[in-house]
Amino acid sequence: NKMFAKISPLLTSLSSHTPPGLVLSLSSAFIVDKKYLSCYRNEFVGTLLMIACTFSAGKWIGEDNLPLAWTAHAVGVVAADYFGGGQHVNPAVSVAMWSLGKCDYTEMYIRIAGAMGGGLVAFPLFRSLSDYMEWNALGGPEFNPLDDDDGSSSAFSEFLATFLLCVAIYVLNWELNFGKFHYWIKQTLTALFIRYLIEMFPTAGPAINPMLGTTWAVFASAFSDDEKVNTGIFPEDPLHYFVYWVAPILGALLASFCYVVYAGGTFLGSKIPLGQIKPVAVVTESKKKK
């Protein structure tokens, strides 16, 4: 009885500082005998780095200087990928990679859980840092239901932006070859394209990433008149999930389908009766002998 009397206030204190869903996220890291632990860790750490390095552009860096903000964002995207271990940090991208057979369902799930865990920790962590350093607080993606009562405009914006993002990922990673500096060039181009999408599709923030839309909403719900009142709650409005999950995942799946039509392969584990448009490389006899 005395032991539980001591544990109870400790758990109460911990729960008052723990974002909802974080415990479930962390517990996912150890399924299948920790087979995918490194995937979870990469996604968790990569998400922390991505939010720190990219959301600070225009807030902590280049507040009144757009070219500097763009540069900081591009550097942040490259740095987060390089130091985070080449993670997805985007549930829509994880679903897209699963649909193309690049990862199995369990890995996709754990990558999404890792990204969500990183996002749930990142926003309150960096809010504390900005308060302590007296920096501008980081913002996050939101859509205004007063201007878009059924969420359709916001959903279409997220759908199209995510579709274009995935197309860019496929082309830059699998169709183009920049030689010795391929990684640095393709990551820089990816970063610049993401920044372009942010400027061109502002309707829902944009998020172009289900994790960002939801973890920001959880964090923002913890405040009332800029004062923190709790640890936040997950959104209860179905439109949130329509805009930030259904629409971008459909956009990612459409991009994957189009890529299979072009390059061949499988979509959701099956061959499709369209394509392959991309010419098949012919191996000559001389190359075979070598």
Side-chain angles (χ1 to χ4, degrees), residues 96 99-100 159-160 162-164 166-167 170 247-261 267:
S99 74
L100 292 173
F159 168 85
L160 186 55
T162 307
F163 169 80
L164 293 173
C166 289
V167 169
Y170 302 158
I249 286 175
L250 288 177
L253 289 174
L254 178 60
S256 295
F257 179 84
C258 291
Y259 183 74
V260 170
V261 171
F267 176 70

Side-chain angles (χ1 to χ4, degrees), residues 35 79 192 220 279:
K35 178 181 177 181
L192 291 173

